Amino acid sequence: MLVEKNLPLQPFNTFHIVAKAHALVRIHDEADVQGLLNEPVWATFPKFVLGGGSNVVLTGDVKPLVLKVEIKGRKLVGETAKAFIVEVGAGENWHEFVAWTLAEGYFGLENMALIPGTVGASPVQNIGAYGVELQDRFDSLDAIDLHTGKLFTLNAAQCAFGYRDSVFKHSSVANEYEGQKPIGLKDRALILRVRFALPKLWKPVLGYADIDKKMAEHACLKPTAQQLFDWVCEIRRAKLPNPDVMGNVGSFFKNPTVTPEQCEDIIARDPKVVHYVLADGSVKLAAGWLIDACGWRGKSVGQAGVFEKQALVLVNRGSVSGPDAATGGEVMTLAKAIQTSVYERFGILLETEPVVV
Ligand SMILES: Cc1cc2nc3c(=O)[nH]c(=O)nc-3n(C[C@H](O)[C@H](O)[C@H](O)COP(=O)(O)OP(=O)(O)OC[C@H]3O[C@@H](n4cnc5c(N)ncnc54)[C@H](O)[C@@H]3O)c2cc1C
């Protein structure tokens, strides 16, 4: 087993923060993990699982052993009366996988086109975009326990999906802040393969202003899955910074959910607050609007900045491949300053979306 020492991680995280992995192993299948767990030096050594690095903020060199997931493969493994079941290796690139499903005639993932990262990370934060979340198309996954080396399979209920949340984001140690959440699998599970159930009777998921605009532009009332895929790619390219050119991790904060009473209080502070009433009566606020209202758009701390076109995205204004990149410290200082000012103005504590390492 090849253990790479002092490996630069700047190319392996989309913020392009300069940091090193003290040790890194590339994982191609479960045997690689089992082999590692059989080596006394690594068996109990702390480990960090890395996919495409598009949802992590590195605040220094990574001391745990980095397991970089490069498990490949995608195939149809079955079908039910309602769905095609497609299985994908955790190291496959998410966007390339979505493009492949369409080419093969399996629809349902097109609204999530162009989300960076790997398939293996997609259940971790239950990725979502334009009205579709991973949990809407999820069947099951196989993972390996990094403590025991045992393989296990989880269905959707066992993954405990929530808004940008799952069992993989919660500690395996009981924690008073976890409330009623099930005991989690954070730092414990390496996802090997994910299976998706893609509907045989496909219907486009519409209802987003940007997509409505495309339908009007193309005078099209019933887009195909391929059209939706193309439009979502165009919309995202126009709105979000390309991480290969300007480092970022997409949305830096989750959109907060509040009670109707809290929302009334915020409307009293600023009647223009962007909000959506959810099915259960709670209210979702647009985190980007709250940040913008506090005057953060375009501001910087060192080389870390708030993206000019969308205040929800923090960016690296420095190099993507050289030493003058934003540091993890600058990114987190900026994030904390934003959290403080939003809290002081609106009484809302924004929760960060990426994993801080
Ligand atoms: C420009 C841009 C736009 C984005 N847009 C969206 C969006 O629209 N919607 C959205 O939901 N997200 C979005 N993201 C965030 C990000 O793309 C997703 O969270 C993605 O799923 C992360 O994948 P990754 O492979 O890069 O994970 P990483 O960043 O490598 O890891 C993220 C977390 O998952 C864990 N992990 C990774 N792989 C595995 C595995 N195989 N087994 C167990 N744990 C694992 C890591 O330990 C870490 O905790 C965006 C990011 C960028 C840069």
Side-chain angles (χ1 to χ4, degrees):
M1 169 137 321
L2 177 66
V3 180
E4 297 169 66
K5 297 277 174 74
N6 289 319
L7 191 80
L9 290 175
Q10 193 177 25
F12 297 143
N13 75 96
T14 62
F15 227 114
H16 301 294
I17 289 168
V18 177
K20 280 183 181 159
H22 284 197
L24 180 146
V25 172
R26 292 169 198 263
I27 302 297
H28 300 103
D29 54 29
E30 49 258 55
D32 284 345
V33 182
Q34 277 152 345
L36 198 70
L37 296 178
N38 284 334
E39 290 187 28
V41 61
W42 297 119
T44 57
F45 200 86
K47 297 175 187 72
F48 177 72
V49 181
L50 181 67
S54 65
N55 209 29
V56 293
V57 179
L58 304 177
T59 54
D61 289 346
V62 183
K63 295 189 186 84
L65 173 65
V66 176
L67 305 182
K68 186 165 184 306
V69 180
E70 298 187 352
I71 302 166
K72 298 292 184 193
R74 46 198 187 196
K75 59 182 183 228
L76 181 73
V77 289
E79 55 184 283
T80 64
K82 291 189 171 165
F84 297 108
I85 311 296
V86 173
E87 183 178 274
V88 200
E92 290 282 353
N93 173 277
W94 172 264
H95 175 69
E96 286 168 17
F97 161 58
V98 175
W100 174 84
T101 57
L102 292 188
E104 295 291 313
Y106 312 131
F107 306 141
L109 297 174
E110 53 287 334
N111 292 42
M112 294 190 283
L114 219 63
I115 297 180
T118 58
V119 169
S122 63
V124 174
Q125 77 147 0
N126 182 26
I127 59 169
Y130 295 99
V132 181
E133 282 186 318
L134 173 112
Q135 64 175 339
D136 302 326
R137 306 287 183 244
F138 180 84
D139 176 72
S140 56
L141 61 78
D142 299 333
I144 187 164
D145 185 325
L146 292 174
H147 293 185
T148 63
K150 283 200 180 128
L151 296 178
F152 59 95
T153 297
L154 299 182
N155 62 25
Q158 290 165 320
C159 288
F161 292 124
Y163 166 58
R164 302 295 170 271
D165 197 22
S166 74
V167 70
F168 304 102
K169 281 197 139 182
H170 294 269
S171 170
S172 52
V173 180
N175 173 334
E176 59 180 305
Y177 299 110
E178 296 283 325
Q180 297 304 308
K181 286 252 176 224
I183 289 184
L185 290 170
K186 187 172 187 281
D187 300 328
R188 176 115 197 215
L190 185 146
I191 296 165
L192 299 162
R193 288 173 287 277
V194 186
R195 283 174 293 277
F196 295 86
L198 302 177
K200 286 183 172 172
L201 264 184
W202 174 83
K203 275 199 309 218
V205 177
L206 306 172
Y208 267 73
D210 288 330
I211 292 182
D212 289 350
K213 233 163 103 186
K214 290 280 180 197
M215 286 168 64
E217 266 170 44
H218 294 264
C220 168
L221 289 177
K222 265 194 175 172
T224 63
Q226 187 62 50
Q227 270 171 319
L228 274 175
F229 174 93
D230 293 340
W231 292 347
V232 167
C233 291
E234 283 171 24
I235 295 164
R236 292 180 67 100
R237 285 196 179 104
K239 277 188 143 178
L240 292 167
N242 175 353
D244 294 340
V245 179
M246 186 184 270
N248 75 93
V249 287
S251 304
F252 203 92
F253 299 99
K254 294 184 185 182
N255 288 320
T257 305
V258 296
T259 62
E261 295 74 33
Q262 282 173 304
C263 188
E264 284 305 314
D265 174 54
I266 294 163
I267 289 171
R269 295 178 203 215
D270 194 327
K272 294 191 296 299
V273 64
V274 177
H275 60 286
Y276 318 87
V277 179
L278 302 179
D280 64 359
S282 61
V283 184
K284 188 163 272 191
L285 305 175
W289 187 91
L290 297 171
I291 299 167
D292 215 0
C294 292
W296 280 102
R297 197 195 286 230
K299 297 272 167 62
S300 298
V301 168
Q303 297 284 40
V306 181
F307 188 47
E308 279 78 4
K309 288 197 207 167
Q310 166 56 278
L312 192 52
V313 179
L314 304 192
V315 293
N316 172 8
R317 295 202 197 287
S319 171
V320 293
S321 59
D324 73 327
T327 64
E330 287 169 344
V331 176
M332 293 315 294
T333 303
L334 176 61
K336 288 208 167 80
I338 291 171
Q339 281 171 319
T340 304
S341 72
V342 169
Y343 187 73
E344 283 172 354
R345 169 120 187 241
F346 296 107
I348 301 281
L349 185 59
L350 292 180
E351 205 184 318
T352 53
E353 196 176 289
V355 177
V356 180
V357 184

